[in-house]
Amino acid sequence: MSEAKARPRRIHPLALSMKAIGYLTSPETAPGKVFVAGERRLTRVFEWLSQNDTYLDLAGKAMRAGFHLRRDTVSAAEAWLHLFRLPTAGDVSALRGELRAVHDEVEALGAQLEVVMEALEKQRAGEQRDVGQSLQRAEEQRAGEQRDARQSAPRVEKGGAP
Amino acid sequence: MSGQSAGAGSLLRTLVTDTAGISMELLSAVRDRATTPYRYMKPLIKSAAGVGEPRVAPTPYRVVYTRGAMRLLHYEPTRRRHRTPIFFVYSLINRHYILDFLPGRSLIEFMLGRGFDVYAIDWGSAGEVERRLGWDEVLNGFVARCARWVRRASGAPDFTLYGYCMGGTMALAYASLHPEGLRNFVAQATPVDFHNAGVFTSWTRPGRFDVDALVDACGNVPTALMEAGFSAMAPVQRSTKWLEVFRRIDDPDFVTTFLAMEHWAADNVPFPGEVYRQYIRDCYQENRFFQGTMAVGAERVDLRNIRCPLLNIIADNDTIAPPSSSEPLNEVVSSTDKEIMRFPVGHIGLSTSSKGPKQIWPKIADWIAARSEPMQGGA
């Protein structure tokens, strides 16, 4: 038996702590049962909230207010920066986007050119194969014709007339 | 005695190197102001379980076409048995690789194994430029151009359009505007009747959710806001699910799959602002998409224009696109060959559960294969 097989696998201390947490929260253990009961109760609360019209309306209003505040803050900050002819984060981001678009386009052209070249090469290889095959066919035909001509020609016996 | 001290030394070395690695990853998460628990928990779990980074998106591909941040990816089968390719359109919210999740648990890998030529849109991460994109440009520009490239690159006159989640809604809108060139349509976990779309219908009710204020303030919808929305669906479970990993820390397969799933869930991308504005207003708030009155450019999205064979895949436990929202699709399209397949899984389970390669995907692949043009002699 090799030494590796004989020695038991060492468990990572992190794995041990995780297994301990897993054991304590497992539905099969006593502390886990308490944990699962708490989890179920919390899930029910969140489920109720996610379907509660009053809560959803309030959350929607809060989100709308937050978005408006963000839009107004950003546009005010941009207006001030533009007043001093300074670029804003939006300007930089837009410029970065434009640059990325140009880069993407160049990459796109490269990729498409590669595909087109591959298709052309395939087509050229096919054409060459076709030409080769037709040449071979013509050669075979000519050889066949010559053979036929030889076979159908009157045979001349050596040694003079009978 | 010397063995014990060597063991203690190796343990100390492991602890020091692990602590350094964990600290680096935690610092990086703090620096990025990460809001998802994944970034903070991952280094601890990886270290405790002794697993590496989950190998998501394992299937090799090549980029056929790109436009802006979007890329059209081509996955080539070893032996192509069907001339008709499959073209996947995924949602703008998350990354496409949920369809190519892990080795052995990848829908794309499975379809390749069945001999399909596969194409998928990766929307990339929306930036300033994508902020002004509307449905018109996304459907008539991006998806339409990709569809042309799919036909061109595959050499097939038509294709199977496969939409997933919000990508399914977009693909349906595209199919109703451009029904030509479509051989089959597969809608997986796709919301259609948005007034029966569970909590999202209630949360986005007009007067309650001011989408204009959000888009005007933020431009693209920030990932933190999208994550907060999804977390609010099950806030307690979002935290307590980590305890299950703690319990099964000795099971590397479980830990890897869990980390891969969390990696994908935390890898959200900003939602392009104008697309989001119209999505919320025309779909969730006014249900125009289902009623056939949603305008895209100068045209109207009318699902009755869809006449090709249609497969509607529904997850019984789906809370994002509940069955009540997806089922009505088969009633509004004009297709005569249409079918609903239901599976006892959740929204993401259709693409990632262990049932996928055994029970779900074979049925889907068989349905598509029966309606695809076979490859003459194989390729």
Side-chain angles (χ1 to χ4, degrees):
Chain A
M1 192 184 269
S2 70
E3 201 187 341
K5 271 187 182 171
R7 194 185 296 161
R9 203 173 79 88
R10 184 180 297 118
I11 299 175
H12 197 289
L14 206 54
L16 271 179
S17 352
M18 284 179 180
K19 278 175 92 72
I21 298 172
Y23 175 79
L24 290 173
T25 53
S26 165
E28 285 138 27
T29 60
K33 279 181 183 139
V34 178
F35 176 81
V36 170
E39 184 195 354
R40 282 206 189 118
R41 208 160 294 157
L42 208 59
T43 304
R44 271 202 295 274
V45 172
F46 278 108
E47 250 171 36
W48 174 80
L49 267 180
S50 72
Q51 286 159 11
N52 183 279
D53 283 336
T54 317
Y55 169 75
L56 290 174
D57 287 341
L58 278 173
K61 273 183 193 144
M63 272 173 71
R64 184 186 302 144
F67 290 138
H68 283 163
L69 182 70
R70 178 176 169 159
R71 187 193 58 194
D72 296 345
T73 316
V74 168
S75 70
E78 286 189 344
W80 272 102
L81 285 168
H82 281 154
L83 194 68
F84 297 108
R85 295 185 165 278
L86 289 169
T88 63
D91 294 336
V92 174
S93 172
L95 194 65
R96 205 180 281 159
E98 295 289 339
L99 277 174
R100 204 202 64 191
V102 172
H103 174 260
D104 286 345
E105 283 304 314
V106 173
E107 209 180 87
L109 282 173
Q112 274 136 250
L113 199 63
E114 213 172 291
V115 173
V116 170
M117 288 303 290
E118 217 170 89
L120 276 175
E121 269 170 24
K122 221 181 264 180
Q123 194 182 344
R124 201 161 51 193
E127 278 169 6
Q128 277 174 353
R129 201 173 48 238
D130 289 348
V131 169
Q133 280 171 351
S134 33
L135 276 175
Q136 198 181 342
R137 265 200 304 274
E139 195 74 33
E140 281 168 6
Q141 200 177 347
R142 201 165 51 225
E145 278 170 7
Q146 280 174 353
R147 203 168 43 242
D148 289 348
R150 268 203 303 275
Q151 279 171 357
S152 59
R155 193 177 283 173
V156 179
E157 295 286 336
K158 277 183 182 173
Chain B
M1 193 70 185
S2 69
Q4 274 183 349
S5 67
S10 112
L11 181 64
L12 191 67
R13 204 165 38 243
T14 312
L15 278 177
V16 169
T17 49
D18 276 10
T19 312
I22 291 170
S23 308
M24 293 286 279
E25 287 200 50
L26 288 178
L27 273 175
S28 151
V30 172
R31 202 178 45 230
D32 297 345
R33 293 181 195 164
T35 50
T36 54
Y38 170 73
R39 290 286 301 276
Y40 302 96
M41 294 299 292
K42 183 186 70 168
L44 302 172
I45 301 272
K46 261 172 45 184
S47 182
V51 298
E53 284 286 330
R55 209 160 69 84
V56 291
T59 313
Y61 61 82
R62 66 176 189 148
V63 178
V64 178
Y65 170 69
T66 71
R67 183 168 170 176
M70 185 223 70
R71 302 182 305 162
L72 176 65
L73 314 178
H74 178 207
Y75 300 85
E76 209 168 350
T78 318
R79 185 167 174 270
R80 189 170 165 190
R81 292 193 205 116
H82 307 281
R83 191 168 180 225
T84 311
I86 302 177
F87 174 27
F88 284 100
V89 178
Y90 188 61
S91 161
L92 287 162
I93 303 166
N94 295 98
R95 304 297 303 274
H96 75 288
Y97 60 78
I98 193 69
L99 301 165
D100 184 23
F101 189 50
L102 285 170
R105 280 218 197 165
S106 156
L107 176 57
I108 286 177
E109 186 189 58
F110 185 86
M111 291 299 179
L112 290 178
R114 289 294 190 99
F116 288 102
D117 197 25
V118 175
Y119 296 80
I121 291 186
D122 170 16
W123 292 107
S125 184
E128 271 301 308
V129 179
E130 284 77 22
R131 174 184 174 164
R132 291 177 286 274
L133 282 181
W135 277 67
D136 183 20
E137 201 171 346
V138 168
L139 298 181
N140 298 322
F142 286 68
V143 182
R145 193 64 71 84
C146 283
R148 265 208 295 275
W149 272 94
V150 168
R151 283 196 292 260
R152 191 179 292 157
S154 67
D158 45 24
F159 57 88
T160 297
L161 188 57
Y162 195 124
Y164 183 16
C165 186
M166 186 224 170
T169 309
M170 292 196 298
L172 281 171
Y174 168 81
S176 80
L177 298 171
H178 304 274
E180 68 287 347
L182 271 189
R183 193 176 177 100
N184 309 301
F185 192 100
V186 182
Q188 178 175 319
T190 297
V192 176
D193 179 0
F194 287 86
H195 277 180
N196 279 311
V199 285
F200 289 131
T201 305
S202 163
W203 290 359
T204 56
R205 198 181 290 167
R208 177 176 289 166
F209 180 60
D210 191 345
V211 66
D212 291 327
L214 192 162
V215 176
D216 292 346
C218 304
N220 292 328
V221 184
T223 52
L225 205 67
M226 305 291 300
E227 278 161 15
F230 286 117
S231 300
M233 292 178 78
V236 181
Q237 283 72 18
R238 191 172 155 82
S239 312
T240 53
K241 67 182 172 185
W242 291 93
L243 297 172
E244 183 61 23
V245 192
F246 287 6
R247 284 192 277 273
R248 296 177 67 178
I249 200 79
D250 289 336
D251 181 350
D253 285 344
F254 176 80
V255 174
T256 305
T257 310
F258 183 89
L259 284 181
M261 177 60 79
E262 289 303 308
H263 174 94
W264 172 80
D267 193 14
N268 286 336
V269 286
F271 202 122
E274 290 307 319
V275 176
Y276 185 75
R277 196 195 299 265
Q278 195 180 357
Y279 181 50
I280 294 296
R281 194 184 290 156
D282 285 2
C283 296
Y284 280 100
Q285 294 187 331
E286 295 171 13
N287 210 13
R288 285 169 171 267
F289 177 78
F290 182 57
Q291 289 159 359
T293 54
M294 180 178 177
V296 171
E299 289 172 285
R300 214 162 41 87
V301 172
D302 189 348
L303 297 176
R304 286 176 301 182
N305 292 342
I306 299 174
R307 293 172 197 286
C308 63
L310 176 116
L311 173 62
N312 191 0
I313 305 160
I314 295 172
D316 283 338
N317 310 324
D318 198 335
T319 49
I320 294 167
S324 57
S325 167
S326 308
E327 263 175 347
L329 172 64
N330 289 45
E331 292 157 25
V332 288
V333 293
S334 302
S335 313
T336 47
D337 177 5
K338 51 191 170 184
E339 192 176 333
I340 290 182
M341 282 186 194
R342 293 182 72 136
F343 298 98
V345 288
H347 185 76
I348 303 299
L350 283 173
S351 308
T352 60
S353 81
S354 53
K355 287 178 188 159
K358 290 172 201 148
Q359 295 167 27
I360 304 173
W361 306 339
K363 287 181 183 165
I364 301 171
D366 288 345
W367 187 93
I368 301 174
R371 289 156 182 85
S372 295
E373 188 184 341
M375 199 76 190
Q376 295 298 324

